[in-house]
Amino acid sequence: MKAITMHRYGGPDVLELTDVPDPKVGPDFVLVRVKAAGVNPVDWKIREGNLDGLFTTDFPVIPGWDLAGVVERVGPAVSEFSPGDEVIGYVREDHIGRGTYAELVSAPLRTLGRKPKRLSWAEAAGLPLAGLTAYQALTKALAITPDDTVLVHAASGGVGSFAVQIARAKGARVIGTAGPHNHDYLRELGAEPVAYGPGLADEVRRLAPGGVSAALDLVGGEAIDVTPGLLTDKGRWASIVDPSVRDRGGRYVFVRPDPTDLAALAGLADDGRLNVTVAKTFPLGEAAEAQRLSAEGHTRGKIVLEIG
């Protein structure tokens, strides 16, 4: 099969389109023919070696944790899926080696869910990692209810746009930070926009004089410093960026594969309450360019590799 591989850490040029053996299918694994693979910031961070202290890395590495595709074959212990089923997956294992930038992926059963019927392949491939991150942060770490006013930092990005929609689907009021050029987009998603930079805290206080009851940090830096002062007395906050938030009363969230949560996201998508914005698609052979664009950090929505 064709796959993107890397034999060492480095810049985008270490990514190569190569021929590799088809993956093996374990008893509780599912072989998926990939139609599209999402590109996420974690992909280029892995490529640069930034996660080397957290995960064992087995070179050569096939990057990627997101996929949408069709079941080709199932392991003998799998009854949940059959060949021909359309699936999505956040295919993260306990080590880095076999990723989703490939024509075929052998995915652990626990990483897969059924593809939302309403979404295209590219849209579906952009949903799992970012969607699960937002969903788990809001529903598990923060336990959002309709009574909440939620502040989302970096609300127009991949995770942020999902967080806004999920919080709104839960009935919460949402205030989202973003650059002025993304404010109309946030309004379309259902958030009240606030610009980054000087005056951010004052503007949030103007919109929520009593404070926000929950906050989700997706950017780090200044957001970590300003957020505690914007919360109500019993306000909760979480970050996906900096574990040090635990020392300041917050929760740190690192997304986990969860088929039940994938099913919940698919339900929201098929109900029309969760849309996936695809910023740009690339063919598999242009994965390096896709990661370069992701690393710039200015895209609205998801970057996706189209494969099958």
Side-chain angles (χ1 to χ4, degrees), residues 9-280:
Y9 296 130
D13 292 342
V14 304
L15 300 178
E16 301 177 284
L17 181 63
T18 57
D19 289 301
V20 300
D22 291 357
K24 298 177 181 179
V25 183
D28 58 350
F29 280 66
V30 175
L31 184 66
V32 179
R33 184 161 294 277
V34 182
K35 294 288 189 178
V39 176
N40 295 286
V42 71
D43 298 346
W44 56 262
K45 293 176 182 177
I46 288 172
R47 189 199 71 228
E48 293 181 348
N50 295 344
L51 272 67
D52 189 67
L54 301 176
F55 291 94
T56 298
T57 303
D58 299 323
F59 289 105
V61 166
I62 299 174
W65 282 347
D66 269 349
L67 67 73
V70 179
V71 174
E72 185 107 334
R73 183 156 56 94
V74 301
V78 174
S79 58
E80 292 85 348
F81 297 105
S82 301
D85 287 345
E86 297 181 350
V87 295
I88 57 175
Y90 168 45
V91 189
R92 175 171 70 80
E93 300 186 58
D94 296 329
H95 64 98
I96 293 171
R98 305 173 301 181
T100 59
Y101 291 15
E103 292 178 326
L104 291 169
V105 170
S106 184
L109 178 62
R110 62 183 175 83
T111 67
L112 297 177
R114 296 191 179 273
K115 173 187 171 290
K117 294 181 174 61
R118 197 175 64 88
L119 299 185
S120 69
W121 288 114
E123 290 168 338
L127 178 60
L129 189 157
L132 285 174
T133 301
Y135 186 82
Q136 292 172 5
L138 292 170
T139 64
K140 297 179 180 181
L142 297 175
I144 297 301
T145 74
D147 295 328
D148 281 312
T149 295
V150 184
L151 173 63
V152 178
H153 289 291
S156 65
V159 177
S161 60
F162 291 139
V164 171
Q165 295 177 82
I166 293 166
R168 293 292 295 134
K170 293 289 183 182
R173 177 191 179 196
V174 181
I175 299 170
T177 71
H181 61 288
N182 281 319
H183 284 191
D184 286 343
Y185 174 61
L186 289 187
R187 292 187 184 99
E188 292 172 6
L189 295 179
E192 300 167 56
V194 172
Y196 294 130
L200 182 151
D202 290 339
E203 183 63 11
V204 172
R205 292 189 185 100
R206 184 186 69 79
L207 293 173
V212 297
S213 54
L216 177 58
D217 164 53
L218 307 174
V219 67
E222 181 185 356
I224 297 286
D225 297 326
V226 72
T227 296
L230 298 174
L231 297 172
T232 62
D233 289 343
K234 295 185 179 180
R236 304 96 67 202
W237 70 299
S239 175
I240 70 167
V241 179
D242 190 345
S244 72
V245 298
R246 295 176 300 174
D247 300 327
R248 305 178 69 174
R251 292 275 303 273
Y252 175 64
V253 177
F254 192 85
V255 60
R256 300 172 179 173
D258 190 309
T260 301
D261 292 348
L262 282 175
L265 288 171
L268 289 172
D270 279 335
D271 288 345
R273 292 184 290 170
L274 184 64
N275 294 305
V276 181
T277 299
V278 176
K280 190 168 183 179

